[in-house]
Amino acid sequence: MRVYLADLVHTYSRPDSALPVPLNIGYIKAYAMEQLGSEVDIRLFKHPEKLLAAVHDAPPDVVGLSNYGWNEQINLHMGRYLRGKHPDLLMVAGGPNIDPCPEPITAFIRRHNYLDFIIEGGGEEAFCELLQWWENGGRDTGQDTSELPQNLHFLEEGILRSTPQRKLEKIITNIPSPYLNGYLDEFLEMGMTPMFETNRGCPFHCTFCVWGVASLDLVRRMDEDTAMREIEYVGEKSTATKWIFCDANFGILKRDVDL
């Protein structure tokens, strides 16, 4: 199954060195590759024009889009174009600016009418399980949606349907590193700004921010040794002069001093 994951940006106006590495879709690929192996062929994209060229040369079975305030319009136009050209695609999106409350998420899916599903929260497990569902009969008309994975939203005959929420664990042990598996090398070689995530979530409920709601109040730790090895790996591969740690509250854990 050919899968294209895209964290699209306005590349026409900025050089590659001003763009961040697509760590988000890197994690989704790393988890899916560990679970599914040779059953899937997954490619990652930042540039809209490269995604279009790849779709033209080798049409995918599945397209996943990361959705943020700064790329929603690109996704809207790209998604509608791809749906028109390839009506049988499975198209999925996720991202922190998709409000999970019923009214706004219904409005979002209706506007982005090329989408089959929205994934809420961390997308690794849900996206991988959705690929398995799709491969095991989800392509067929009338497939039982009760078998869908958790953390999904979709419209069924115009009505919003949602699957149950996945229970979050305080320690993240099942998501491999996209850096250490080499999945982000091409973006480091382009000179893009490295991004790191050593914990997820936030215990606070600031009204201007989605972190606390999305994480269900948890600060979820990723493996410290893996984080250290990622830092060393990127230090050898990247020429970027600035790095980004995208933890919501870097410094909230004692180990952050060591990092």
Side-chain angles (χ1 to χ4, degrees), residues 142-154:
Q143 169 74 0
D144 185 3
T145 55
S146 66
E147 299 178 7
L148 285 167
Q150 297 169 315
N151 287 65
L152 294 186
H153 301 282
F154 60 100

Side-chain angles (χ1 to χ4, degrees), residues 15 81 141 146 154 201 206 226:
Y81 173 81
T141 303
S146 66
F154 60 100
C206 304
T226 299

Side-chain angles (χ1 to χ4, degrees), residues 184-196:
L184 298 174
D185 281 1
E186 64 176 294
F187 304 100
L188 294 176
E189 290 167 5
M190 292 180 199
M192 292 188 184
T193 301
M195 297 181 73
F196 300 89

